[in-house]
Amino acid sequence: MKKSCVFGLICSALSLFPLQAQAQCLQLPKSVLFEKLTWTEIAQDISCGFKTIIIPVGGTEQSGPYIAVGKHNSRVLFQAEKIARQAGRTLVAPVVAYVPEGGTSPRTSHMRFPGTITLLPDVFERMLSSIAESFRVQGFGLVVLIGDHGGYQKDMERVAAQLNVRWQNTGARVLYVRAYYDVIPQQYATWLRQNGYRLDVGQHADIGDTSLMLAVDPSMVRGEALRHAPNPTMAQGIYGGDPRRATSTLGQPGLAMQVEAAVKAIDDARSK
């Protein structure tokens, strides 16, 4: 082993185990989830061309009485794994679960309800920048940002723009996929309205939100309480619409739309 490896610089798995590593390049990774791999497996994947990594951004917030507060974290991880597998040569970073969700003094936005955790926007942006930089120095050339919640989309866009300026001469770049989020309030909401759910569509914890969660992890939805629920109100944390007719089947098209939009964005970025 070279002296530089002894003093802590990560050697390529190809240089350490050339024949074995080349054979392993013909196989898929044990997992596309970064946190489920060892450092040598990650080094091997990078050497085999896995140069794209998705940073999935979720959030911990109230979603009415019928959806657990980890909704965005569960959904974005589920979706990121699908996107990574369809895009190919892509890994998925651990979910960013702490995001801007409103103020604490006074309590605003989702912070008015128990169950929400918030960060200051500048703290969130610095955290994202540090995460992305961690992946750049390891050898990832395309760092993809997808966010499941609307409140921080501008923050993510700003981080991507700043890093792309900073990284101009590094060979790496950040791809912020706004389309991943926009599909839900636009294309998917339109699909729901066109299929007889016009009055059920709202902005938060509505039929779409609840159906998406049912399709990803029904244990996160309080189904029995939902079926016997009274008319929804903003005081419950349901902002417009009605979640009571939500089903897993209704959630599947929305999930597929998000994956398609993200994979297309990654493919387009790679082709440039």
Side-chain angles (χ1 to χ4, degrees):
M1 184 179 292
K2 295 180 181 179
K3 185 177 181 181
S4 61
C5 296
V6 175
F7 285 99
L9 295 178
I10 296 176
C11 290
S12 165
L14 282 175
S15 65
L16 289 172
F17 311 106
L19 295 178
Q20 180 183 1
Q22 289 171 32
Q24 289 176 346
C25 282
L26 300 176
Q27 305 173 13
L28 291 174
K30 296 179 183 299
S31 172
V32 298
L33 301 180
F34 190 89
E35 62 191 331
K36 292 193 175 183
L37 299 171
T38 68
W39 78 261
T40 53
E41 289 167 343
I42 292 166
Q44 174 71 43
D45 291 342
I46 294 170
S47 295
C48 290
F50 281 71
K51 299 294 183 72
T52 301
I53 188 159
I54 298 170
I55 300 177
V57 184
T60 307
E61 65 174 21
Q62 71 84 20
S63 285
Y66 313 114
I67 308 178
V69 298
K71 169 192 76 180
H72 286 305
N73 302 322
S74 295
R75 277 205 323 233
V76 78
L77 181 60
F78 180 89
Q79 292 289 74
E81 187 169 1
K82 280 194 167 185
I83 293 162
R85 293 193 181 281
Q86 288 195 29
R89 296 176 291 118
T90 302
L91 298 182
V92 178
V95 172
V96 178
Y98 304 109
V99 305
E101 294 280 10
T104 56
S105 183
R107 292 170 66 174
T108 61
S109 188
H110 295 300
M111 278 305 303
R112 292 178 294 124
F113 297 83
T116 304
I117 305 170
T118 195
L119 283 186
L120 293 171
D122 65 315
V123 174
F124 173 68
E125 290 182 21
R126 292 201 304 273
M127 177 176 64
L128 273 188
S129 295
S130 293
I131 294 168
E133 181 69 11
S134 296
F135 293 129
R136 183 191 69 78
V137 300
Q138 291 179 47
F140 290 97
L142 184 62
V143 178
V144 180
L145 300 179
I146 61 171
D148 210 63
H149 175 32
Y152 48 69
Q153 295 296 322
K154 289 183 178 178
D155 301 306
M156 293 174 64
E157 184 175 21
R158 186 161 41 249
V159 167
Q162 291 171 349
L163 287 177
N164 281 329
V165 171
R166 195 184 309 164
W167 291 1
Q168 276 183 346
N169 299 316
T170 67
R173 55 189 164 146
V174 178
L175 173 66
Y176 160 61
V177 185
R178 173 79 195 206
Y180 171 85
Y181 173 76
D182 282 349
V183 155
I184 299 305
Q186 296 176 17
Q187 185 182 350
Y188 178 49
T190 297
W191 182 89
L192 286 169
R193 293 186 184 101
Q194 291 173 342
N195 282 273
Y197 298 93
R198 183 175 61 86
L199 297 179
D200 301 304
V201 175
Q203 296 179 324
H204 177 77
D206 65 344
I207 189 170
D209 220 357
T210 309
S211 293
L212 290 168
M213 196 67 254
L214 284 167
V216 169
D217 183 356
S219 73
M220 299 278 282
V221 179
R222 305 301 179 252
E224 189 65 23
L226 182 62
R227 282 190 290 274
H228 298 94
N231 291 334
T233 67
M234 287 189 67
Q236 296 174 303
I238 300 172
Y239 302 160
D242 190 333
R244 291 178 294 179
R245 292 204 289 165
T247 67
S248 172
T249 301
L250 284 179
Q252 294 295 341
L255 296 177
M257 291 171 192
Q258 282 191 303
V259 171
E260 181 181 6
V263 171
K264 182 180 185 303
I266 292 170
D267 287 344
D268 288 348
R270 286 170 170 171
S271 67
K272 293 179 181 177

